[in-house]
Amino acid sequence: MTLPNGLTPEAASQQAARAYELDRRHVFHSWSAQAQINPMTITATQGCYVWDGDGNRLLDFSSQLVNTNIGHQHPKVVAAVQEQAATLCTVAPQHVNAARSEAARLIAERTPGELNKIFFTNGGAEAVEHAVRMARLHTGRYKVLTRYRSYHGGTETAINLTGDPRRWPNDHGNAGVVHFFGPFLYRTQFHASNETEESERALAHLEQTIAFEGPSTIAAIVLESIPGTAGIMVPPPGYLAGVRALCDKHGIILIADEVMSGFGRTGKWFAIDHFDVVPDLLTFAKGVNSGYVPLGGVAISPAIAATFDDRAYPGGLTYSGHPLATAAAVATIDAMADERIIENAADIGAEVLGPGLRELAARHPSIGEVRGTGVFWALELVRDRATREPLAPYGGTSQAMTEVAAECRAAGLLVFINFNRLHVVPPCVVSAAEAKEGLALLDQALTVADRHTV
Ligand SMILES: Cc1ncc(COP(=O)(O)O)c(C=O)c1O
């Protein structure tokens, strides 16, 4: 029996041992205390599955870093990258290239409203950097408002915009960034008892923040349409429309960060499509080509694009719109449309994951709340349902969460874990049978969490 990539188990295990040894000697890992990590080696991937260095098959309900929306090794995307590599590997950004042009057309067609021009980057953080730069130059203002409980990327402006503890050690350069609270009923800052109150009070808080910061100084409000890493808090009805109205009133640019929530993750092309709101700038990455080759970008409104018709845009990247990355995007977007992958994500969310996770919540006292849509779900794990005391503190981890993560892995399930939350974020191509398999494995792992409840 060989692995999907043709490696024999023996060859895979030898390769894994060598890779691990070299990794620990030479690779410096993101966001980690280097001496304290024991990273998993992956030797093969296929669809919703990955194989680890010991030959175990795991169901990938993390989509890696919530990016493999189309699943692993999709044959049409692999073929498109191979074909592009054989035809034309690289061109400088100042030249026109067929893959880039077509990717821009396909993305512009799918983004909401008239966001018809696309600036390509290598990933999500750069997309956010450039969106903010465009907003500042377009408005002539400097301040940017963004919410606590958010993640916008690891580069200078993006990490300063981020509303999670990864910002703290990087906070020195945050001139002009102001954080506010967004709606999150389960842990409401506004003493709200229902979604309507939460929405109204969060909007009133934002309006006050704008008034106190000085509306004429504010270039942009940056929001994840549905915050991802921070907890998949689907905004209550009316909230995003209310933010749009405040932006219109004060001439503030609305930047929707769709890096994690875009390209099918929520069961629509973009999360903001659920709310009938059109931003001025929309950032994307991850799902645009499922990360087969690094790619991100900004979709730009006609008014902002026009600012740079006769004035040079002061920004660029050697690999902007790289042919391999944009060819992968073209194949991904075409396959998503042809194979009804986004419809699948919506159906799996509505028919399997949503009901299945709620059913788990009925039996596991450690689940405080289930929230999400499409293939974008979070379980809020708590020690005590009555007080909502989290199973790990904000910004930290705990013995209980470490045990839950280990149990998932031992059961054969990869999930995304952040503080006290467990995110169920499989590829958009996940089948009903795979989703049910994942729920059964989760059921098993959650018994470990239950032992830590009061
Ligand atoms: C909403 C959001 N914005 C930006 C980023 C940064 O993207 P990248 O890691 O590609 O730079 C992420 C990554 O998780 C994200 O979730």
mmCIF file of all heavy atoms in Angstrom, residues 65 122-126 128 151-154 224 228-229 257-261 283 285-286, ligand 1:
data_model
loop_
_atom_site.group_PDB
_atom_site.id
_atom_site.type_symbol
_atom_site.label_atom_id
_atom_site.label_comp_id
_atom_site.label_asym_id
_atom_site.label_seq_id
_atom_site.Cartn_x
_atom_site.Cartn_y
_atom_site.Cartn_z
ATOM 1 N N LEU A 65 -3.997 26.148 7.727
ATOM 2 C CA LEU A 65 -4.311 27.368 8.480
ATOM 3 C C LEU A 65 -5.589 27.966 7.888
ATOM 4 O O LEU A 65 -5.637 29.145 7.520
ATOM 5 C CB LEU A 65 -3.153 28.367 8.441
ATOM 6 C CG LEU A 65 -2.157 28.228 9.592
ATOM 7 C CD1 LEU A 65 -1.057 29.277 9.508
ATOM 8 C CD2 LEU A 65 -2.834 28.311 10.959
ATOM 9 N N ASN A 122 1.420 38.688 -2.054
ATOM 10 C CA ASN A 122 1.834 37.300 -1.830
ATOM 11 C C ASN A 122 1.057 36.622 -0.717
ATOM 12 O O ASN A 122 1.240 35.431 -0.473
ATOM 13 C CB ASN A 122 3.324 37.241 -1.482
ATOM 14 C CG ASN A 122 4.161 37.829 -2.593
ATOM 15 O OD1 ASN A 122 4.007 37.451 -3.738
ATOM 16 N ND2 ASN A 122 5.009 38.779 -2.254
ATOM 17 N N GLY A 123 0.235 37.372 0.016
ATOM 18 C CA GLY A 123 -0.497 36.768 1.128
ATOM 19 C C GLY A 123 -1.430 37.783 1.764
ATOM 20 O O GLY A 123 -1.587 38.917 1.275
ATOM 21 N N GLY A 124 -2.021 37.369 2.903
ATOM 22 C CA GLY A 124 -3.047 38.177 3.537
ATOM 23 C C GLY A 124 -2.528 39.436 4.214
ATOM 24 O O GLY A 124 -3.128 40.513 4.095
ATOM 25 N N ALA A 125 -1.414 39.311 4.955
ATOM 26 C CA ALA A 125 -0.913 40.472 5.692
ATOM 27 C C ALA A 125 -0.557 41.613 4.737
ATOM 28 O O ALA A 125 -0.895 42.782 4.980
ATOM 29 C CB ALA A 125 0.312 40.075 6.515
ATOM 30 N N GLU A 126 0.097 41.269 3.642
ATOM 31 C CA GLU A 126 0.450 42.307 2.656
ATOM 32 C C GLU A 126 -0.800 42.933 2.049
ATOM 33 O O GLU A 126 -0.821 44.124 1.723
ATOM 34 C CB GLU A 126 1.273 41.691 1.519
ATOM 35 C CG GLU A 126 2.715 41.449 1.861
ATOM 36 C CD GLU A 126 3.426 40.714 0.725
ATOM 37 O OE1 GLU A 126 2.763 40.250 -0.214
ATOM 38 O OE2 GLU A 126 4.662 40.620 0.803
ATOM 39 N N VAL A 128 -3.580 43.427 3.594
ATOM 40 C CA VAL A 128 -4.077 44.389 4.594
ATOM 41 C C VAL A 128 -3.201 45.644 4.597
ATOM 42 O O VAL A 128 -3.705 46.777 4.646
ATOM 43 C CB VAL A 128 -4.140 43.716 5.986
ATOM 44 C CG1 VAL A 128 -4.439 44.731 7.066
ATOM 45 C CG2 VAL A 128 -5.180 42.591 5.990
ATOM 46 N N TYR A 151 -7.717 39.215 13.875
ATOM 47 C CA TYR A 151 -6.358 38.950 13.400
ATOM 48 C C TYR A 151 -6.253 39.452 11.968
ATOM 49 O O TYR A 151 -7.101 39.153 11.131
ATOM 50 C CB TYR A 151 -5.999 37.452 13.462
ATOM 51 C CG TYR A 151 -4.579 37.213 12.994
ATOM 52 C CD1 TYR A 151 -3.503 37.643 13.767
ATOM 53 C CD2 TYR A 151 -4.315 36.631 11.769
ATOM 54 C CE1 TYR A 151 -2.192 37.479 13.338
ATOM 55 C CE2 TYR A 151 -3.000 36.453 11.323
ATOM 56 C CZ TYR A 151 -1.946 36.891 12.116
ATOM 57 O OH TYR A 151 -0.659 36.741 11.679
ATOM 58 N N HIS A 152 -5.226 40.249 11.701
ATOM 59 C CA HIS A 152 -5.072 40.811 10.356
ATOM 60 C C HIS A 152 -3.716 40.531 9.731
ATOM 61 O O HIS A 152 -3.446 41.019 8.637
ATOM 62 C CB HIS A 152 -5.353 42.321 10.377
ATOM 63 C CG HIS A 152 -6.771 42.650 10.721
ATOM 64 N ND1 HIS A 152 -7.813 42.399 9.868
ATOM 65 C CD2 HIS A 152 -7.322 43.176 11.848
ATOM 66 C CE1 HIS A 152 -8.952 42.766 10.435
ATOM 67 N NE2 HIS A 152 -8.686 43.236 11.644
ATOM 68 N N GLY A 153 -2.837 39.783 10.408
ATOM 69 C CA GLY A 153 -1.574 39.419 9.772
ATOM 70 C C GLY A 153 -0.364 39.772 10.612
ATOM 71 O O GLY A 153 -0.459 40.497 11.606
ATOM 72 N N GLY A 154 0.793 39.272 10.194
ATOM 73 C CA GLY A 154 2.003 39.371 11.003
ATOM 74 C C GLY A 154 2.959 40.485 10.631
ATOM 75 O O GLY A 154 4.010 40.628 11.271
ATOM 76 N N GLU A 224 -12.830 42.060 9.915
ATOM 77 C CA GLU A 224 -13.098 40.759 9.309
ATOM 78 C C GLU A 224 -14.631 40.652 9.229
ATOM 79 O O GLU A 224 -15.314 40.856 10.249
ATOM 80 C CB GLU A 224 -12.574 39.637 10.203
ATOM 81 C CG GLU A 224 -11.064 39.567 10.302
ATOM 82 C CD GLU A 224 -10.627 38.575 11.373
ATOM 83 O OE1 GLU A 224 -10.613 37.373 11.116
ATOM 84 O OE2 GLU A 224 -10.297 39.018 12.494
ATOM 85 N N GLY A 228 -12.324 35.381 12.242
ATOM 86 C CA GLY A 228 -11.972 33.968 12.141
ATOM 87 C C GLY A 228 -11.187 33.473 13.331
ATOM 88 O O GLY A 228 -11.757 32.915 14.280
ATOM 89 N N THR A 229 -9.871 33.708 13.311
ATOM 90 C CA THR A 229 -8.995 33.228 14.384
ATOM 91 C C THR A 229 -9.526 33.625 15.760
ATOM 92 O O THR A 229 -9.402 32.874 16.718
ATOM 93 C CB THR A 229 -7.580 33.818 14.196
ATOM 94 O OG1 THR A 229 -7.157 33.522 12.868
ATOM 95 C CG2 THR A 229 -6.591 33.249 15.180
ATOM 96 N N ASP A 257 -11.880 42.516 5.636
ATOM 97 C CA ASP A 257 -10.788 41.542 5.566
ATOM 98 C C ASP A 257 -11.417 40.155 5.405
ATOM 99 O O ASP A 257 -11.994 39.601 6.351
ATOM 100 C CB ASP A 257 -9.930 41.627 6.835
ATOM 101 C CG ASP A 257 -8.701 40.718 6.759
ATOM 102 O OD1 ASP A 257 -8.647 39.865 5.850
ATOM 103 O OD2 ASP A 257 -7.812 40.861 7.613
ATOM 104 N N GLU A 258 -11.324 39.631 4.203
ATOM 105 C CA GLU A 258 -11.920 38.326 3.870
ATOM 106 C C GLU A 258 -10.826 37.283 3.640
ATOM 107 O O GLU A 258 -11.026 36.310 2.919
ATOM 108 C CB GLU A 258 -12.802 38.461 2.618
ATOM 109 C CG GLU A 258 -14.030 39.307 2.833
ATOM 110 C CD GLU A 258 -15.285 38.497 3.177
ATOM 111 O OE1 GLU A 258 -15.200 37.257 3.231
ATOM 112 O OE2 GLU A 258 -16.336 39.125 3.384
ATOM 113 N N VAL A 259 -9.656 37.515 4.244
ATOM 114 C CA VAL A 259 -8.536 36.588 4.028
ATOM 115 C C VAL A 259 -8.921 35.170 4.471
ATOM 116 O O VAL A 259 -8.668 34.203 3.751
ATOM 117 C CB VAL A 259 -7.268 37.090 4.751
ATOM 118 C CG1 VAL A 259 -6.193 36.013 4.818
ATOM 119 C CG2 VAL A 259 -6.723 38.328 4.043
ATOM 120 N N MET A 260 -9.562 35.047 5.636
ATOM 121 C CA MET A 260 -9.954 33.707 6.088
ATOM 122 C C MET A 260 -11.385 33.357 5.685
ATOM 123 O O MET A 260 -11.695 32.209 5.387
ATOM 124 C CB MET A 260 -9.804 33.597 7.616
ATOM 125 C CG MET A 260 -10.009 32.179 8.128
ATOM 126 S SD MET A 260 -9.775 32.004 9.910
ATOM 127 C CE MET A 260 -8.003 31.947 10.062
ATOM 128 N N SER A 261 -12.256 34.360 5.659
ATOM 129 C CA SER A 261 -13.694 34.071 5.469
ATOM 130 C C SER A 261 -14.095 34.011 4.002
ATOM 131 O O SER A 261 -15.218 33.605 3.692
ATOM 132 C CB SER A 261 -14.526 35.125 6.204
ATOM 133 O OG SER A 261 -14.216 36.430 5.728
ATOM 134 N N THR A 283 -9.941 42.570 1.220
ATOM 135 C CA THR A 283 -8.671 41.827 1.167
ATOM 136 C C THR A 283 -8.960 40.330 1.129
ATOM 137 O O THR A 283 -9.908 39.855 1.763
ATOM 138 C CB THR A 283 -7.793 42.129 2.394
ATOM 139 O OG1 THR A 283 -8.540 41.857 3.581
ATOM 140 C CG2 THR A 283 -7.338 43.569 2.404
ATOM 141 N N ALA A 285 -6.918 36.193 0.441
ATOM 142 C CA ALA A 285 -5.695 35.361 0.284
ATOM 143 C C ALA A 285 -6.153 33.914 0.390
ATOM 144 O O ALA A 285 -7.136 33.549 -0.272
ATOM 145 C CB ALA A 285 -4.644 35.723 1.337
ATOM 146 N N LYS A 286 -5.513 33.126 1.233
ATOM 147 C CA LYS A 286 -5.880 31.732 1.538
ATOM 148 C C LYS A 286 -6.721 31.039 0.456
ATOM 149 O O LYS A 286 -6.205 30.474 -0.490
ATOM 150 C CB LYS A 286 -6.617 31.696 2.887
ATOM 151 C CG LYS A 286 -5.733 32.191 4.046
ATOM 152 C CD LYS A 286 -6.385 31.984 5.387
ATOM 153 C CE LYS A 286 -5.639 32.628 6.532
ATOM 154 N NZ LYS A 286 -4.700 31.797 7.242
HETATM 155 C C1 LIG B 1 -8.473 37.693 8.591
HETATM 156 C C2 LIG B 1 -7.032 37.524 8.288
HETATM 157 N N1 LIG B 1 -6.340 38.554 7.765
HETATM 158 C C3 LIG B 1 -5.038 38.446 7.454
HETATM 159 C C4 LIG B 1 -4.350 37.272 7.681
HETATM 160 C C5 LIG B 1 -2.881 37.176 7.326
HETATM 161 O O1 LIG B 1 -2.714 36.385 6.215
HETATM 162 P P1 LIG B 1 -1.245 35.789 5.855
HETATM 163 O O2 LIG B 1 -0.914 34.836 6.944
HETATM 164 O O3 LIG B 1 -1.459 35.166 4.515
HETATM 165 O O4 LIG B 1 -0.302 36.940 5.791
HETATM 166 C C6 LIG B 1 -5.018 36.168 8.219
HETATM 167 C C7 LIG B 1 -4.317 34.894 8.476
HETATM 168 O O5 LIG B 1 -4.782 34.029 9.172
HETATM 169 C C8 LIG B 1 -6.400 36.304 8.536
HETATM 170 O O6 LIG B 1 -7.097 35.285 9.069
#
